[in-house]
Amino acid sequence: MIRIKWILILLNIIITPVKANSVNTTSNSSGSVVNQAVQVVPSRNFSYQMNTINCQGATLNISPFVSTTYGFATPYETHYERPVYSRKDVEGDFDDENKPIGDGDVDEGYRGEVLYFEQVRTGQKQSNVSINGGITATFSIPLDREPIKECKKAMKKQNELYEASLAAKRLNFEMSRAKTCIDNLKQGIRFKEGTEMARICADVELITPPNVEHTHKIK
């Protein structure tokens, strides 16, 4: 009995009709997408070189750009012809006086008859031009900055060596100038005052050195 009961329940579920309302929906969409790409080409890196020391620093590249796009449609049609059909309806029914009148439908013989064609504007664009502008910027920095720091330190030391060498050469030049001017003054030679060469020894003076007493034992 239990098996028969379950069989009847299953048959009832299978045989029982199911009513449902279905709605058919349709959606259409159209459009166009224009993809534009801007390529950024990295420029050269700035390097600083002194003698055999060469250091490269970070760079910032700023590149303005202007791009234009031009689009057109083919075939290009400004208007199209739309047919106007006959709607003549003078027969098919009768009035109270038994006179023929229209029945709301186009009379036979005039159905599908084209009276004329009217011009309808398409609204189609002949061309489409767009101008886009912008700025691209790239900033490049070295990943390992320790060699850059050491390179800058070496360049700073090199500058100090150049300055010390320049100071030593300047000192030798000044001492040589002073000695030459003093020797000429001792010999009674000097450039005439007011001349261009006289300015070379203008800041050199000849002074008498202080007397120093010397004592010597006589045996």
Side-chain angles (χ1 to χ4, degrees):
M1 294 295 295
I2 296 176
R3 290 183 179 179
I4 297 174
K5 180 179 179 180
W6 282 107
I7 292 173
L8 292 176
I9 292 174
L10 291 175
L11 291 175
N12 188 20
I13 294 175
I14 295 172
I15 298 174
T16 301
V18 178
K19 298 181 179 179
N21 294 327
S22 61
V23 179
N24 295 326
T25 59
T26 304
S27 61
N28 296 322
S29 62
S30 63
S32 61
V33 177
V34 178
N35 295 325
Q36 295 182 355
V38 178
Q39 183 179 7
V40 179
V41 180
S43 62
R44 65 179 181 87
N45 294 327
F46 292 97
S47 61
Y48 309 94
Q49 185 173 1
M50 180 178 293
N51 200 359
T52 59
I53 301 175
N54 188 2
C55 301
Q56 292 184 355
T59 58
L60 174 62
N61 303 322
I62 299 177
S63 305
F65 68 91
V66 175
S67 61
T68 60
T69 58
Y70 176 77
F72 61 92
T74 181
Y76 172 67
E77 297 179 355
T78 58
H79 296 78
Y80 70 93
E81 294 183 348
R82 181 170 60 186
V84 177
Y85 298 96
S86 175
R87 300 184 60 84
K88 187 175 182 180
D89 181 19
V90 295
E91 59 184 15
D93 201 356
F94 299 92
D95 58 4
D96 296 339
E97 297 179 356
N98 202 20
K99 293 182 179 180
I101 60 174
D103 58 353
D105 195 5
V106 179
D107 295 340
E108 187 175 357
Y110 295 96
R111 296 173 183 175
E113 180 182 4
V114 178
L115 299 179
Y116 59 91
F117 292 90
E118 62 178 354
Q119 297 290 326
V120 181
R121 187 174 180 273
T122 61
Q124 182 180 357
K125 294 182 179 180
Q126 184 176 5
S127 61
N128 185 15
V129 179
S130 63
I131 300 176
N132 302 316
I135 295 177
T136 60
T138 57
F139 183 66
S140 303
I141 57 175
L143 296 178
D144 189 2
R145 302 188 63 182
E146 190 64 26
I148 302 297
K149 293 180 180 179
E150 295 297 329
C151 183
K152 291 180 179 179
K153 289 181 181 179
M155 186 176 290
K156 184 178 180 181
K157 293 295 183 182
Q158 189 69 31
N159 288 333
E160 293 176 355
L161 290 176
Y162 286 153
E163 292 177 357
S165 177
L166 179 61
K169 292 180 180 180
R170 180 65 183 270
L171 179 61
N172 292 334
F173 168 76
E174 295 295 341
M175 294 301 296
S176 177
R177 183 175 68 88
K179 185 177 183 303
T180 302
C181 293
I182 292 299
D183 291 341
N184 290 334
L185 290 176
K186 287 181 179 180
Q187 296 177 9
I189 302 173
R190 70 174 184 177
F191 295 103
K192 185 178 180 179
E193 295 182 357
T195 60
E196 183 178 357
M197 298 301 296
R199 285 183 287 180
I200 296 177
C201 297
D203 58 346
V204 179
E205 293 181 353
L206 177 62
I207 60 175
T208 303
N211 294 328
V212 179
E213 295 182 358
H214 296 276
T215 58
H216 302 276
K217 294 181 179 181
I218 300 175
K219 293 182 181 181

